[in-house]
Amino acid sequence: MRPIQATISQSALQHNLNVVKQYAPHSKIMSVVKANGYGHGLINVAHGLTDTDGFAVLGLNEAIDLREAGFEQTVLLLEGAFSADEVQLASGFNVDIVVHSMPQVEMLERAKLLRPINIHLKMNTGMNRLGFVPNEYMTIFNRLKACKNVAEITLMTHFATADEDVGIAEPLQRFQNTIKTLKQPLSLANSAAILQHPEAHAQEIEGSWVRPGIMLYGATPVSGTPASEFGLKPVMRFTSEIIAVQTLEKGESVGYGNRFTANKKTRVGVVACGYADGYPRHAPNSTPIAVSGKLTQTIGRVSMDMLFCDLTDAPEANIGAPVELWGNLVSVDAVAENSGTVGYELLCAVSRRVPMKVVA
Ligand SMILES: Cc1ncc(COP(=O)(O)O)c(C=O)c1O
């Protein structure tokens, strides 16, 4: 079997959940586990987060998987129901839904449910992705409040710039101005807002939520600030091995397109990991990688199943030497930054052919 593996640490998940609790001690925690637990495996992650108050997913199938695995916490569909059947099923599986559009309001009003459903009513406070604009929000709220199919209503928004210097003051003000006469639980903060904007934790309002995603997995939501500065631990170790070693003379090249040419005698390790495993093809020369516990760098173009690293200063590293693509020695954020993307994308992209192992 190829030596590639993603190892998922449940203790790191628990640790990161505790970091959320330190930052927002009085809020309920809605752990965002969509996209197959940000690439870590939905059920793997859920088992590491048993102390969470809720799970947020995208598809009803994921919500049902959580229920069938025995999780009894709140489960929320972040984009709500996509059809009347889904409203029915969500009610049956005791799954909460976001309501962000008029057709979703109408579906709820028309539904014949055995039990009413909790909703998270989304306001568009400036991101212009999902939600009702402040002008129409109160009308929709009152309509849903009167709807027999609706149980509890949580007031929700999502910030576009919680991780940017501009912050969230404007959208938060817009939100607060709109809902000032209501006494309902709120749900506002993603990881960046949990870590940087306590004013969005809504801790003073009983039953309010925070919605951590990336921080649970130990990657940073704030580019330029390492996750370790927030006290977070990486949950995934993406590892493989050296499967061949080549020696380049000065002037010789390696890999497709000859993208790396040696300017001196260079020892090259061939690693069993490529873009079909989820490593970014656009990672440039000099992206950090660790071999036998020592930092070195990638060279040449990443191919489908293999990539190359410089072993010139690691003469002891031979076929079978362990490689960490990201994890404890190399942060996923460092690989992402070199590749012009974010840790989120790399974690979600680890492919199905990579075996996953869960460790305590
Ligand atoms: C509505 C919503 N809330 C919370 C999150 C979690 O965000 P983050 O991973 O930045 O914490 C997401 C993620 O995309 C989201 O879409």
Side-chain angles (χ1 to χ4, degrees):
M1 210 167 74
R2 285 174 85 224
I4 194 164
Q5 184 165 289
T7 307
I8 309 302
S9 160
Q10 295 206 326
S11 58
L13 277 164
Q14 280 154 14
H15 168 89
N16 296 335
L17 185 64
N18 284 333
V19 175
V20 177
K21 288 183 185 169
Q22 280 158 21
Y23 276 86
H26 306 296
S27 307
K28 291 203 283 180
I29 301 177
M30 178 76 76
S31 295
V32 181
V33 295
K34 62 184 171 149
N36 196 27
Y38 283 44
H40 296 65
L42 173 65
I43 299 300
N44 298 341
V45 165
H47 280 300
L49 297 173
T50 44
D51 282 352
T52 191
D53 303 288
F55 295 107
V57 295
L58 210 61
L60 187 62
N61 57 332
E62 298 163 284
I64 293 173
D65 285 350
L66 284 168
R67 286 283 178 255
E68 287 182 344
F71 292 97
E72 292 177 349
Q73 293 97 326
T74 298
V75 175
L76 173 68
L77 299 182
L78 276 174
E79 293 181 8
F82 291 93
S83 66
D85 285 353
E86 287 199 355
V87 176
Q88 204 74 40
L89 280 165
S91 155
F93 281 94
N94 191 20
V95 168
D96 295 9
I97 54 176
V98 164
V99 176
H100 67 80
S101 72
M102 213 47 188
Q104 289 182 331
V105 173
E106 289 160 3
M107 269 188 314
L108 254 176
E109 288 176 333
R110 280 196 301 267
K112 292 195 173 29
L113 304 181
L114 286 178
R115 77 177 140 201
I117 192 163
N118 293 330
I119 65 164
H120 298 233
L121 182 58
K122 192 156 188 180
M123 191 190 301
N124 171 9
T125 47
M127 187 172 189
N128 293 316
R129 194 171 68 171
L130 298 182
F132 297 97
V133 291
N135 269 345
E136 58 189 355
Y137 193 81
M138 281 306 290
T139 312
I140 304 291
F141 173 85
N142 288 326
R143 207 166 138 175
L144 290 170
K145 189 87 189 149
C147 173
K148 64 179 184 327
N149 289 324
V150 173
E152 188 172 296
I153 306 181
T154 299
L155 312 179
M156 173 186 183
T157 193
H158 190 49
F159 300 118
T161 53
D163 55 329
E164 312 266 342
D165 290 344
V166 51
I168 59 166
E170 255 188 54
L172 183 59
Q173 190 67 57
R174 226 170 270 144
F175 183 82
Q176 282 167 340
N177 286 347
T178 310
I179 58 121
K180 60 178 180 273
T181 58
L182 303 180
K183 298 241 172 326
Q184 304 288 134
L186 309 184
S187 174
L188 310 176
N190 60 359
S191 297
I194 291 166
L195 295 167
Q196 299 190 321
H197 297 291
E199 68 278 19
H201 297 173
Q203 309 199 51
E204 64 291 354
I205 303 170
E206 175 83 29
S208 288
W209 296 90
V210 290
R211 302 190 307 270
I214 196 73
M215 69 181 289
L216 293 172
Y217 307 97
T220 189
V222 183
S223 70
T225 308
S228 55
E229 273 189 32
F230 297 117
L232 300 168
K233 290 187 182 165
V235 172
M236 182 191 291
R237 273 194 83 226
F238 191 23
T239 57
S240 189
E241 287 179 9
I242 301 287
I243 56 165
V245 175
Q246 308 291 345
T247 302
L248 306 184
E249 297 301 330
K250 182 177 174 184
E252 286 188 320
S253 301
V254 65
Y256 286 119
N258 291 345
R259 207 187 59 186
F260 175 85
T261 302
N263 58 12
K264 60 174 193 261
K265 190 168 178 173
T266 302
R267 211 164 159 261
V268 176
V270 181
V271 182
C273 176
Y275 61 78
D277 299 299
Y279 197 89
R281 181 174 179 275
H282 40 283
N285 291 333
S286 301
T287 301
I289 187 167
V291 180
S292 301
K294 278 205 325 222
L295 280 182
T296 179
Q297 48 192 11
T298 64
I299 53 180
R301 184 170 287 161
V302 175
S303 43
M304 188 182 285
D305 312 314
M306 284 169 274
L307 56 82
F308 307 101
C309 64
D310 190 345
L311 296 183
T312 310
D313 295 330
E316 72 290 353
N318 261 310
I319 293 179
V323 174
E324 183 183 278
L325 300 143
W326 60 68
N328 299 333
L329 298 168
V330 177
S331 76
V332 68
D333 295 313
V335 177
E337 199 178 320
N338 272 267
S339 311
T341 184
V342 285
Y344 296 76
E345 187 182 1
L346 298 191
L347 293 171
C348 291
V350 171
S351 77
R352 286 176 51 161
R353 78 179 194 184
V354 175
M356 272 198 192
K357 183 177 163 196
V358 180
V359 293

